[in-house]
Amino acid sequence: MIYQISVFLENRAGQLAEITGLLAKNNVNIRAISIAEASDYGVLRMIVDDAEHASAILLENGNVLSMTPVSVVAVPDRPAGLADVLAVLADAKVDIEYMYSILAHGNETAYMVFRVSDDEKFANAINGKGLRIAEKAELGLK
Amino acid sequence: MEKRYYQPEVETASREQIRKWQSERLVKQVKHAWDNVPYYRKKMEEKGVTPDDIKSVDDLHKLPFITKADLRDAYPYGLVGKPLSECVRIHSTSGTTGKRVMAFYTQHDVDLWEDCCARAIVAAGGTKEDVCHVSYGYGLFTGGAGLHGGSHKVGCLTLPMSSGNTDRQLQFMTDLGSTILCCTPSYAAYLAESIKERGIKDQIKLKAGIFGAEAWSEEMRRDIEQQLGIRAYDIYGLTEISGPGVSFECEAQTGMHVNEDHFIAEIIDPETGEVLPEGSKGELVFSCITKEAFPLLRYRTRDICVLNSEPCPCGRTHIKMSKPMGRSDDMLIIRGVNVFPSQIETVLLEQGYQANYQIIVDRVNNSDTFEVMVEMTPENFSDSLAKIAEMEKSLVSALKAMLGIAAKVKLVAPKSITRSEGKAVRVIDKRKI
């Protein structure tokens, strides 16, 4: 299972720099990042190479966070690659809460992080259509 | 200018006469409380005082104080001095920890209270020829009912507008030619602004305003007077003591005459409880000497004021109190509503937040802004923005339900609220009043 670290962000200049600086100092590699924002606050969503280590550091430094299980799907790196994946999910009636892309390691695959309403339905739909849920190792995650 | 009073024989009585009334009524009232309010009798016994010890106002200092904590302990009936069958009304305001303050009235109490409000209206130039536009809230709040009753007594055409719905307020004001406006000063400023925006100043016939229930500055008074072309008078009161009309301003506008035939005012040192000489700044304490249903004696208002009994050019002889200059507790008055930080704390804990918060109050365009900064907690955090927004919405409604006014909630990072010397600063009041 891949865990996303979700961190509460208040609307204040420099907060993002503080968090990324803290991770840099502790040698954590951020593999994917996405921000959801409301007018006065936001949620920072990250996939990092060592989620346990990173969350411990963030907690020690007074952040509020949660570990959210997500799925990463290997998406063919070609036109319509993502469209095909999303069509499969639409057919299976899986609701996507949010998604964002993750850095690929120089092969012909792109990766998308998904947070969905029903993980089992999601896995069945993806696996049944010749698509593939990515493993931690290929993403450089511990 | 011809001097006019609602009850001239009372309002211009000699100081000796006022003192005589106070002594007679105090003696009677202490006996009434002793006989009919076991809660207060117990307090007197604890202090070793009996009604026999109270022979005149000089003995007032011997009596125990009543505080807001007593109102809470005795809630709801513990301080009521008449059988409920003799009571005809209650009014209520918010209390310190969510428990409301509930005050009871007999018909006689309502009558005397309305007299006090009538004195304020006449002092503001009101007669039976006037159209009195009451935009205080009607309901549990005393503002609407008090001025409404006073306006009837004076014989004004009374418009029971209540608060809000500015369009309707202005329509009645222009169509019926309202001449006296009763509301909070911030609402008066708002109405003045709306009148200016709509360019209907020439249709407004107002000549006076009676504005109370919140603090306002001399500068704000001049603004309102100039914009509405009126004279603006302050009025003071609190639900525990009856409501508006405990004291009111006259044309001199140099303090509010306390209706001393009904309420004895003292200034005490809030730390020691010691009575301070006239002219000292301290906490205002009231003893109700004519009220039947809710005969509070030596009630600590927590308002910091100064009393002054120098002769007033208006001819009234009753002592004047300054505008409250602050509080000896942490109560805030926001848009006319009493707000205690402890109420906010109660709601936060109920909603799963820590009691780490900060209240920021400001006044923008003569209207109070009210923001509560709340630290996010792991329990209430979610990776979903929608869920956070839902929690925030539920907090906003719970605060509104507790306080009676809306607060803007601002979620902030944990431990981000300023602490000085290890103690959190709970309230930042930026209003310059």
Side-chain angles (χ1 to χ4, degrees):
Chain A
M1 184 60 86
I2 294 172
Y3 282 95
Q4 159 194 291
I5 303 179
S6 315
V7 189
F8 178 75
L9 288 180
E10 65 173 66
N11 189 358
R12 170 169 66 77
Q15 218 208 339
L16 207 48
E18 276 165 34
I19 290 172
T20 52
L22 188 63
L23 295 178
K25 211 169 67 190
N26 287 278
N27 212 26
V28 173
N29 188 12
I30 301 171
R31 303 285 300 130
I33 194 160
S34 151
I35 293 176
E37 57 174 41
S39 58
D40 283 331
Y41 53 84
V43 178
L44 170 65
R45 296 162 180 156
M46 288 183 293
I47 306 288
V48 300
D49 58 352
D50 190 339
E52 228 168 276
H53 180 47
S55 69
I57 293 161
L58 289 169
L59 284 172
E60 268 169 36
N61 283 275
N63 289 284
V64 171
L65 59 81
S66 67
M67 300 291 273
T68 316
V70 291
S71 300
V72 179
V73 175
V75 180
D77 192 3
R78 57 165 168 77
L82 180 59
D84 290 348
V85 174
L86 294 180
V88 165
L89 296 178
D91 284 347
K93 298 202 177 347
V94 175
D95 288 328
I96 299 168
E97 289 181 15
Y98 51 81
M99 56 177 240
Y100 51 98
S101 67
I102 187 165
L103 291 175
H105 266 212
N107 52 27
E108 282 167 9
T109 309
Y111 296 93
M112 290 299 292
V113 180
F114 283 91
R115 169 81 169 148
V116 293
S117 55
D118 186 331
D119 289 325
E120 203 183 323
K121 214 156 110 184
F122 174 78
N124 289 338
I126 293 292
N127 291 329
K129 294 287 177 183
L131 294 164
R132 185 166 72 74
I133 291 184
E135 299 295 329
K136 279 188 178 180
E138 67 184 294
L139 298 168
L141 309 182
K142 281 175 197 160
Chain B
M1 190 177 143
E2 185 206 353
K3 296 204 188 308
R4 294 183 49 263
Y5 313 98
Y6 178 66
Q7 289 165 312
E9 70 291 351
V10 177
E11 293 177 69
T12 61
S14 69
R15 292 299 303 162
E16 295 68 40
Q17 178 61 60
I18 292 171
R19 213 180 147 71
K20 191 161 167 276
W21 282 328
Q22 287 188 332
S23 289
E24 284 166 12
R25 290 170 185 180
L26 176 66
V27 168
K28 211 174 132 210
Q29 187 73 325
V30 171
K31 177 111 185 17
H32 169 50
W34 175 270
D35 289 343
N36 299 300
V37 185
Y39 187 96
Y40 196 68
R41 179 183 186 137
K42 189 161 160 280
K43 287 199 81 137
M44 285 177 64
E45 283 168 349
E46 280 165 11
K47 216 170 175 246
V49 193
T50 68
D52 292 339
D53 298 318
I54 311 300
K55 297 190 172 68
S56 76
V57 278
D58 291 333
D59 300 318
L60 183 60
H61 69 276
K62 295 175 183 166
L63 291 170
F65 292 116
I66 297 177
T67 64
K68 222 155 192 160
D70 290 314
L71 299 189
R72 193 175 59 219
D73 292 348
Y75 179 92
Y77 304 125
L79 287 162
V80 180
K82 281 281 179 183
L84 290 186
S85 58
E86 301 294 313
C87 296
V88 297
R89 175 102 61 88
I90 67 139
H91 281 285
S92 171
T93 177
S94 63
T96 43
T97 48
K99 222 170 230 181
R100 303 184 72 88
V101 169
M102 210 173 276
F104 294 74
Y105 304 74
T106 62
Q107 185 55 52
H108 185 249
D109 294 335
V110 171
D111 252 0
L112 298 187
W113 173 28
E114 290 177 352
D115 283 344
C116 290
C117 291
R119 290 179 194 172
I121 292 170
V122 173
T127 69
K128 64 192 290 293
E129 309 301 326
D130 279 296
V131 179
C132 186
H133 189 111
V134 184
S135 303
Y136 283 113
Y138 278 64
L140 288 171
F141 179 51
T142 51
L147 272 305
H148 179 96
S151 171
H152 272 224
K153 289 232 170 181
V154 177
C156 305
L157 176 60
T158 308
L159 310 189
M161 300 303 301
S162 197
S163 51
N165 199 341
T166 301
D167 283 330
R168 191 175 64 191
Q169 301 276 357
L170 296 181
Q171 192 194 340
F172 275 76
M173 203 175 274
T174 49
D175 292 355
L176 290 166
S178 307
T179 54
I180 297 176
L181 173 64
C182 307
C183 62
T184 59
S186 53
Y187 195 56
Y190 180 77
L191 285 175
E193 200 59 39
S194 306
I195 287 166
K196 197 171 147 197
E197 270 168 26
R198 284 160 219 226
I200 52 171
K201 176 78 198 299
D202 57 339
Q203 298 169 52
I204 300 295
K205 298 195 172 60
L206 290 175
K207 64 176 191 187
I210 301 172
F211 306 134
E214 65 187 16
W216 50 313
S217 60
E218 277 307 315
E219 190 190 1
M220 189 167 172
R221 186 210 303 267
R222 279 191 299 274
D223 275 1
I224 296 172
E225 287 190 333
Q226 198 181 11
Q227 288 198 47
L228 288 175
I230 63 171
R231 297 211 58 196
Y233 299 94
D234 204 352
I235 185 166
Y236 173 91
L238 56 175
T239 306
E240 298 90 313
I241 300 303
S242 63
V246 172
S247 66
F248 61 91
E249 261 184 348
C250 60
E251 72 251 25
Q253 294 182 322
T254 51
M256 296 176 275
H257 290 283
V258 175
N259 283 309
E260 284 187 284
D261 51 326
H262 300 306
F263 315 107
I264 304 176
E266 295 171 276
I267 293 288
I268 63 160
D269 178 330
E271 299 298 325
T272 63
E274 189 197 340
V275 179
L276 301 177
E278 189 186 312
S280 315
K281 186 169 158 182
E283 182 181 333
L284 183 62
V285 172
F286 280 116
S287 296
C288 303
I289 48 175
T290 49
K291 275 173 70 183
E292 300 175 334
F294 213 54
L296 297 191
L297 289 161
R298 299 200 89 200
Y299 180 69
R300 292 184 60 165
T301 65
R302 300 287 173 184
D303 281 326
I304 304 291
C305 302
V306 175
L307 293 175
N308 172 7
S309 66
E310 277 168 32
C312 183
C314 79
R316 285 176 186 79
T317 47
H318 292 225
I319 203 164
K320 286 196 282 194
M321 60 176 268
S322 65
K323 276 180 191 293
M325 302 157 173
R327 300 273 307 170
S328 67
D329 64 4
D330 56 0
M331 187 179 93
L332 292 158
I333 301 180
I334 304 173
R335 290 176 223 138
V337 176
N338 300 351
V339 173
F340 291 92
S342 57
Q343 295 175 301
I344 291 167
E345 197 164 313
T346 305
V347 173
L348 289 179
L349 293 173
E350 274 169 14
Q351 296 272 319
Y353 295 91
Q354 302 284 324
N356 289 332
Y357 63 94
Q358 197 163 61
I359 301 164
I360 300 169
V361 191
D362 203 349
R363 189 162 281 178
V364 179
N365 296 330
N366 285 322
S367 176
D368 292 339
T369 63
F370 175 27
E371 183 174 77
V372 184
M373 280 169 62
V374 181
E375 292 186 350
M376 180 51 105
T377 59
E379 296 74 37
N380 283 353
F381 177 65
S382 157
D383 67 308
S384 155
L385 224 45
K387 283 201 187 105
I388 299 179
E390 220 170 88
M391 298 289 301
E392 189 184 13
K393 216 170 134 190
S394 133
L395 176 58
V396 168
S397 346
L399 285 171
K400 174 100 199 272
M402 170 69 92
L403 306 172
I405 54 165
K408 182 180 184 318
V409 165
K410 185 164 196 264
L411 294 170
V412 298
K415 301 190 179 68
S416 63
I417 289 174
T418 328
R419 287 156 171 81
S420 64
E421 292 159 17
K423 195 173 176 284
V425 179
R426 291 283 172 243
V427 178
I428 298 181
D429 197 337
K430 298 179 179 166
R431 292 176 294 189
K432 290 180 189 70
I433 295 165

